[in-house]
Every structure is written in structure tokens, then in C-alpha cells.
Amino acid sequence: MEEMKPILFIDFDGTLCHDRFWRSIDASSFEKIQNFLFGENKSMVNEWMRGVHTSEHINQLLSKELNIPFEKVWNIFVTDCENMNVPKDVLIRIENLKKDFHTILITDNMDCFTRFTVPALKLNSYFDSIINSFDNKKFKSDDGGNIFLQAVNEHGSKVEESILMDNSKGACNTFSKLGGATRFVSSDKPLAFWLENLENELVRT
């Protein structure tokens, strides 16, 4: 029977990692991608994170928009996904917290995260489980944060004893309304700060 422990939810983008897609492409193309995808077509990005579009479809659109061969755009994209910079010392600290928490990486993200980033960085070995909106078709704040409650119930945990570390004020607000504790990640108080804070709390108790 699974041991009853609180859950430590940790976000990915802007919390555990700050790298961007297509960061290895030339500066001019990168700027065009940002404007086209994250400016003019932000609704498409949200659909991508909800499982409506695949990475192949998005890269085909960019290939036409930039007039760059699909293979070039695709290869850069996949390579960048596989080489996201996540501090190893932070991952080890998260892994060490498994004795006190069910550690869950929860992210509003794309198929490429599950397909390329997770296996390349071996994230499954540092977290007990990973929840990606592309796979679940739900954002963290959908339905009042129901995705959090599902995870809590699956592990036999209590939301009041669980923690979310996230750089999204919206996600933190959602989790707070459910009764959970939040640690808002920022440049002043990055993830490493909150993990150390949590480690110190555990030592005191």
C-alpha cells in the first residue's frame, strides 16, 4: 500500500527551467517565431498545450512562415527540447525530498515536453510522477484546479498538507483556494530558495 505523504507539486517552465524553444536558431528567425507564435497566434499555443496541435504541425507552420526547410526548424526544435537547462543540484534536492513528499512535476506544456524533454533529462527518475496538460487536455487552473485534486486523491494525500512551487500567480491562487500551501517562484526567490526553505522546515520538525 502506498505510503500516505503530502504532495510537493513543482512547475516546469519559469520555475525549474527558463530556456525557450528554438533558442539555437539565428536571432532574426527567433524574433520572428516569438512574434508569429507567441504574439499573433497565442491562442494556437494554448491549443498546442491542450493537445489540439502536435509539434510537427507547429513546426510546419513556422517552416512556411520563415521560409526555412522543415527539417532545419524541426531539428533545432527537438535538439533544444532535449537540451533544456535544468540545474542538476536542484533535481537532486527534489529527489531527496521523496522520503517526505510525493513529488509531482505539473506543467501546462506541449507534447514535446513528454516526447523529448522528459526522457532526455531523465525527469522521471527525480519525480514520482509528471502531469502535462498536453496529455491530460487540462490546464492547472481549469475547473478550479481539479487536476490538483485528482492527484491528491490518487495518492491518498490531503491538499491542506500539500505544497505548490510555481512562478504563475494564477496557478498559486488556484491552489490556495483549494486549501493548499503555495511558494511563489520569482527572480528574488527562485526554486532553489524555496527548496532550501522546505528542507530547513523539515529539519526543524
Side-chain angles (χ1 to χ4, degrees):
M1 186 175 176
E2 189 175 32
E3 183 183 356
M4 288 183 65
K5 293 184 288 190
I7 294 178
L8 175 60
F9 292 102
I10 297 178
D11 171 52
F12 186 75
D13 182 46
T15 298
L16 187 59
C17 178
H18 300 273
D19 282 347
R20 304 263 69 89
F21 296 147
W22 301 285
R23 63 190 178 279
S24 298
I25 206 166
D26 64 275
S28 175
S29 296
F30 181 79
E31 186 176 352
K32 289 176 182 175
I33 289 172
Q34 297 305 304
N35 292 335
F36 174 74
L37 203 54
F38 300 98
E40 301 167 22
N41 294 285
K42 189 155 179 58
S43 61
M44 187 186 300
V45 175
N46 286 332
E47 290 173 350
W48 186 10
M49 291 190 286
R50 288 186 184 275
V52 176
H53 306 295
T54 64
S55 293
E56 283 85 352
H57 175 67
I58 297 297
N59 277 274
Q60 283 166 355
L61 291 176
L62 290 176
S63 171
K64 293 175 184 175
E65 179 71 16
L66 300 173
N67 196 25
I68 296 175
F70 170 78
E71 289 75 15
K72 180 180 178 181
V73 179
W74 177 253
N75 288 337
I76 289 172
F77 173 76
V78 172
T79 299
D80 284 352
C81 287
E82 292 175 337
N83 290 280
M84 292 278 181
N85 180 37
V86 177
K88 189 67 179 288
D89 61 317
V90 171
L91 288 174
I92 290 172
R93 293 172 89 164
I94 293 168
E95 184 180 27
N96 290 337
L97 285 166
K98 283 184 176 183
K99 63 184 183 296
D100 298 293
F101 294 89
H102 292 298
T103 56
I104 297 181
L105 179 57
I106 186 165
T107 177
D108 292 342
N109 219 308
M110 295 80 167
D111 58 327
C112 52
F113 180 73
T114 301
R115 294 166 61 189
F116 308 126
T117 305
V118 170
L121 301 184
K122 298 180 172 62
L123 294 178
N124 278 316
S125 64
Y126 299 100
F127 291 88
D128 291 313
S129 59
I130 296 174
I131 300 173
N132 179 3
S133 65
F134 181 93
D135 303 318
N136 294 281
K137 313 293 186 285
K138 283 184 180 180
F139 284 170
K140 283 177 273 189
S141 294
D142 284 357
D143 304 320
N146 188 55
I147 196 78
F148 290 113
L149 294 180
Q150 285 180 13
V152 167
N153 291 335
E154 284 172 10
H155 288 282
S157 304
K158 295 180 180 178
V159 69
E160 296 82 7
E161 297 174 358
S162 298
I163 301 170
L164 169 66
M165 296 184 179
D166 203 311
N167 72 316
S168 164
K169 289 184 178 178
C172 286
N173 288 338
T174 296
F175 196 66
S176 291
K177 288 177 182 176
L178 294 173
T182 62
R183 304 290 184 267
F184 178 64
V185 174
S186 64
S187 55
D188 292 334
K189 294 181 178 179
L191 180 60
F193 168 85
W194 290 119
L195 290 172
E196 182 179 0
N197 189 273
L198 182 57
E199 290 163 352
N200 291 336
E201 286 178 17
L202 292 169
V203 168
R204 287 197 294 270
T205 57

